[in-house]
Amino acid sequence: MAGQNDLRIQAAGPETVDAALELVFGDWVDPVARRNQIESIKARAEKRIPEGLFVAIDFNETESTVAGAVLVEGRPGKAAYVHPPRGRLDLSTETFVQLLDVASGWLESKGFRMAQALLPVGAAADEAVLVAAEFRRLADLAYLESRRESFPIRRPDEGRFELVPVTPADLERLRRIVEKTFEETLDCPALSGVQSIEEVFEGYWASSAGETRFWRIVCRGGEEVGVLLVADHPDEALAELVYMGLIPSARGQGGGREIARQAQWLAVEAGRDRLVVGVDEANGPALEAYTGVGFEAWEKRVVYTKFFH
């Protein structure tokens, strides 16, 4: 077996893309899901070779083989998602770090502001590699879901708030309100100021596929005090609470729970039986608002992030 000195890190090419993606997604248990994921990624790429796919090639006297691989996928808002490196059992941590370093350098050259990996709780080996590659633990993320049985059976009373539907003409106004809701936020505060409001909005827009049907501006007594952004995902048969936020002066009064209830009703209007949301576990008020209207945790992830300057 070739030693570590025989390895070369490079971008994947036509002859290595299949083997590389098989490595990256090799720990997916369901072979059909794994194959569908690989084909989906290739289908979105020019010439079926993802730009952010990098490989460690083992060269020896008779042949060259793919010994390791990492995939980074650009997302709207100048953020990127990292699939942690995978490879042959004898590969060193140093090789995995080199793969991440090359991928990070490519992302930075393309103008990305950050790269993020979402790890299952207890993935110690992946955590060690990411830390060695200068990623830092940003947050513990809880994925919550609310199902039809916890949804309101009729449109909830808006109480102290008025929820105003958003049209394309309202987008600039909506951006200004969202920016105000970021002030003194408890939701991943380390991300504050990393992206511009326009870049943040690119992510929201992509999550909702450019559809504002389930977006609302939250008003109280004629004052704009927050936003509620829900996305419909018919292919997954669920709705997603993309973002819910209040300006500082409107917080701490139970408003989060009332707005979360409205989000459930928007899921009803979308014809979905499931509403999901991701929330920083350190954001106690948000967790209380969601669990107070019937959301329950179904998955947890640890967020590791590398910022580019």
Side-chain angles (χ1 to χ4, degrees), residues 2-8 88 90-95 98:
Q4 298 289 300
N5 292 335
D6 300 314
L7 296 176
R8 183 184 304 166
R88 210 170 54 195
D90 70 321
L91 288 190
S92 66
T93 296
E94 180 183 359
T95 299
Q98 289 173 349

Side-chain angles (χ1 to χ4, degrees), residues 27 84 86 117-124 126-127 299-302 304:
D27 54 0
R86 294 286 182 264
L118 301 179
L119 303 182
V121 175
D126 283 335
E127 291 191 41
E299 191 174 39
K300 294 186 178 183
R301 286 285 186 267
V302 182
Y304 276 85

Side-chain angles (χ1 to χ4, degrees), residues 108-128:
E108 189 168 15
S109 74
K110 294 291 185 179
F112 285 91
R113 296 198 184 276
M114 62 182 172
Q116 290 190 323
L118 301 179
L119 303 182
V121 175
D126 283 335
E127 291 191 41

